[in-house]
Amino acid sequence: MVVVVQLPRRPAEDALELLAEQVRSQLNALLAPHHLMLEPYGSGSHWQEEAKPPRPPIRQRAFLFGYHRQQPLVAIFYQVRHLEQALIDPMPLALAYLQVHLDELAERGLRLVSMMPNWLVTAAPFYYSIGGPALPPRPAPRLELPAIGANEPPLGWHISFLDQGLLLDPEGASNVLVAVLDTAVEAERLLRAADRPEFRRNWLLQRLAADLRNGRGLFQIEYDRYPLWEAIRTGRDRYGEALYYPMPDHGLFVAGLIRDIAPQARIRLIRILNDYGGGDLYGLFAALTGLERELFTGTIRRLVVNLSLTTLPDARRLPYVWFDDRRWPSRGLASAISALTLLEDGLRLLFESLYAQGALLVAAAGNDSWPETRQGKRRRPPRAPARYATVVSVTSVNSRFEPSQFANVAAMPPVNGGVATFGGDVEGVRDSNDLPDAVRGVYISPTFPNGEPNTTGWADWSGSSFAAPIVSGLAAHLLAQGWSAANTMLRMTSSGEWHGGLLYGSPPEVPALLANLIRAQQRFGL
């Protein structure tokens, strides 16, 4: 359970644990008549005993954010226990009881602005999240160029933009940090992979390894900074059905695409998802509040955050998911609207805080719409955080710039449109060269989920996860040239043209996805 509190002033960092205990005491006084209790997140013997595999130890439970605000915010993580009943998940009941006491808490000076489940984990004991790439990775087509004399220079796949007027930074976005919050591999594993004979001609893998070796911060991997729970799973098979498979290379694949587009940007790959692509709000809050603090202190000047992940059910499904079989003290419409707002306002405020500090946030819209497109229905809306107004929402088109069959729409009116760019398509769709329509990137696991050996270090993968880094790389170029985050968002999400004399605006370039189109292609070569 995550509680977000508005504070009268910014406290010292070493006072956050005391603050968390003071808030817990107030909330427990209200929950005690219902035999419910909040415990410090990660404490108690049942934290380890009831979890298979065990949960990791937790060192920090409160995260300060909103540094630009006169009254900043703090997110505090708790776990909920029912003292008498063996409820599968007492957390929804605790949230319901606390909701009806918001006014009373405010009278005591405790202002709760949000109360949320630890959203990337569904109700126990099913620690699985609907999401993941549209398809599992598979071997990329093996293409070769003749050797030049005795040399075999590195080669492989490269991204380029077809749109006129996209002015790329001549310095390769060297003064921008791109933070990739995702899965990650250990640095040593990446370096060992780069030394494998069959991978030595993979130019992108060799470049990432060289950046990691030089120690100048061009590429960093934060592998074990944040605790992760390995029980969470996500993923889909080629038919869009749940299939949980290891995907530790997902974040490396994303980081490689950004390196291809922004050759001198600093890339920081931060592991907040486990090897199966699963995580929770704890890792997301920990990483994002840390980045906001670096922006506030001036450690980071220009920041792009790539989030090839999704959280929460989509906005249209959330009421059905949350109110199904729940017991609420009040069933009135106002109470329901308030409950739904409280369920995600804390996350929305976190993204607003980073945006206010000048960060450009890029997030994948999600890959949930394949069932709808097969039935001729409207596509699903973007998932959080892509659906927030302070985030560039990225959805997927195939190599012919047609909507990918799995792609969610990029925006929810009245929020401004999002962006669509190349993210591949479902299995069976071919590009103009009769190759599978997929994004190709770095993949270092020895085998693919279907058991095929990895012989080139390249994989085909499809999803809005892989469209997002193309937009992040372009965004780094614009920020490097002095564009603000707000102007960069406007430039990418609107066509900037009027058509047909419509003074109220132009339709999006990809109407089915409510998205402006950024035309990118991938070609093989030196």
Side-chain angles (χ1 to χ4, degrees):
M1 176 174 171
V2 190
V3 174
V4 179
V5 180
Q6 179 179 293
L7 303 175
R9 65 188 64 85
R10 192 185 318 137
E13 290 288 337
D14 59 4
L16 291 179
E17 288 299 309
L18 175 60
L19 169 64
E21 282 302 301
Q22 292 175 345
V23 172
R24 187 170 75 94
S25 176
Q26 291 290 323
L27 300 184
N28 276 341
L30 295 174
L31 293 173
H34 308 289
H35 310 290
L36 293 163
M37 182 176 72
L38 301 184
E39 295 181 332
Y41 190 65
S43 67
S45 59
H46 67 285
W47 176 261
Q48 294 291 338
E49 292 170 359
E50 295 179 2
K52 304 296 180 184
R55 294 178 174 98
I58 301 297
R59 304 180 188 89
Q60 183 178 353
R61 299 175 179 88
F63 300 96
L64 190 67
F65 65 101
Y67 286 84
H68 69 291
R69 303 166 63 109
Q70 290 185 341
Q71 295 179 311
L73 304 166
V74 63
I76 309 171
F77 285 74
Y78 300 111
Q79 57 203 47
V80 186
R81 288 187 65 192
H82 197 289
L83 301 180
E84 295 185 358
Q85 301 180 30
L87 293 180
I88 290 178
D89 186 4
M91 178 271 303
L93 200 58
L95 289 180
Y97 287 125
L98 290 176
Q99 181 196 355
V100 300
H101 291 287
L102 291 179
D103 291 344
E104 181 181 342
L105 289 168
E107 290 171 1
R108 301 179 191 176
L110 178 54
R111 295 173 177 82
L112 299 186
V113 299
S114 184
M115 296 179 291
M116 305 178 288
N118 201 348
W119 262 122
L120 286 185
V121 179
T122 57
F126 303 106
Y127 299 106
Y128 301 93
S129 175
I130 298 172
L135 299 169
R138 53 200 188 276
R142 190 178 184 111
L143 304 179
E144 293 288 347
L145 292 176
I148 302 173
N151 298 321
E152 291 188 339
L155 46 75
W157 299 91
H158 300 263
I159 295 279
S160 61
F161 295 104
L162 303 181
D163 296 285
Q164 300 296 320
L166 287 180
L167 299 178
L168 303 184
D169 178 44
E171 302 298 324
S174 61
N175 57 356
V176 177
L177 172 67
V178 183
V180 178
L181 277 56
D182 214 297
T183 70
V185 298
E186 294 174 294
E188 294 77 11
R189 184 183 167 200
L190 173 62
L191 296 176
R192 288 196 303 270
D195 288 336
R196 289 171 56 180
E198 65 270 34
F199 292 172
R200 285 180 181 167
R201 294 197 73 188
N202 183 319
W203 81 268
L204 192 49
L205 172 58
Q206 297 304 323
R207 173 63 197 271
L208 290 172
D211 289 347
L212 198 58
R213 289 189 186 101
N214 72 21
R216 294 188 292 114
L218 271 176
F219 185 41
Q220 297 173 302
I221 299 176
E222 293 185 352
Y223 182 79
D224 54 5
R225 181 172 178 178
Y226 303 112
L228 301 176
W229 191 14
E230 298 300 332
I232 306 167
R233 302 287 189 268
T234 192
R236 296 181 173 88
D237 63 15
R238 61 180 181 172
Y239 304 109
E241 302 297 329
L243 174 69
Y244 308 120
Y245 57 87
M247 55 179 83
D249 299 281
H250 186 276
L252 183 63
F253 192 107
V254 167
L257 295 172
I258 295 169
R259 169 56 71 230
D260 183 14
I261 295 165
Q264 296 301 320
R266 291 177 295 126
I267 299 174
R268 188 189 300 178
L269 178 55
I270 305 171
R271 187 176 187 249
I272 68 162
L273 302 178
N274 65 28
D275 286 353
Y276 281 81
D280 58 23
L281 287 187
Y282 182 89
L284 192 61
F285 266 86
L288 289 176
T289 55
L291 290 169
E292 187 197 351
R293 185 167 58 250
E294 289 188 70
L295 280 168
F296 179 73
T297 59
T299 306
I300 300 172
R301 293 185 57 215
R302 295 180 176 90
L303 174 66
V304 177
V305 181
N306 187 94
L307 296 146
S308 291
L309 52 79
T310 59
T311 69
L312 287 80
D314 75 50
R316 293 173 188 165
R317 293 175 55 85
L318 180 57
Y320 302 97
V321 171
W322 189 247
F323 292 123
D324 182 42
D325 295 327
R326 305 288 191 196
R327 290 187 296 154
W328 294 91
S330 170
R331 292 186 179 273
L333 178 60
S335 175
I337 293 173
S338 175
L340 292 173
T341 301
L342 288 168
L343 286 176
E344 67 169 307
D345 250 12
L347 190 61
R348 179 183 58 80
L349 289 168
L350 174 61
F351 282 89
E352 284 186 5
S353 298
L354 279 154
Y355 178 77
Q357 295 284 355
L360 183 66
L361 304 147
V362 179
N367 311 308
D368 309 306
S369 294
W370 199 358
E372 282 71 17
T373 57
R374 283 183 289 190
Q375 298 173 31
K377 298 180 180 179
R378 295 184 68 86
R379 295 169 183 265
R380 291 191 184 180
R383 301 276 289 276
R387 67 172 176 244
Y388 299 144
T390 52
V391 178
V392 178
S393 174
V394 184
T395 189
S396 173
V397 293
N398 60 29
S399 61
R400 292 180 171 85
F401 309 122
E402 301 164 343
S404 305
Q405 295 182 47
F406 52 76
N408 293 355
V409 299
M412 290 181 61
V415 174
N416 193 15
V419 176
T421 195
F422 178 49
D425 213 324
V426 299
E427 190 166 334
V429 178
R430 315 288 287 187
D431 64 18
S432 59
N433 296 309
D434 198 33
L435 298 175
D437 203 312
V439 182
R440 297 185 173 101
V442 171
Y443 189 88
I444 63 172
S445 292
T447 60
F448 289 88
N450 63 4
E452 290 188 69
N454 181 10
T455 60
T456 66
W458 294 100
D460 280 9
W461 225 338
S462 295
S464 58
S465 281
F466 314 115
I470 295 175
V471 173
S472 292
L474 175 60
H477 280 276
L478 298 180
L479 288 187
Q481 297 174 80
W483 290 57
S484 68
N487 287 338
T488 300
M489 285 184 67
L490 183 61
R491 171 66 182 85
M492 291 195 295
T493 60
S494 61
S495 63
E497 298 178 0
W498 286 350
H499 300 286
L502 301 176
L503 299 182
Y504 54 77
S506 302
E509 291 182 273
V510 190
L513 298 177
L514 295 179
N516 186 39
L517 180 62
I518 294 178
R519 295 169 179 81
Q521 66 179 4
Q522 199 168 27
R523 294 289 184 264
F524 186 83
L526 295 175

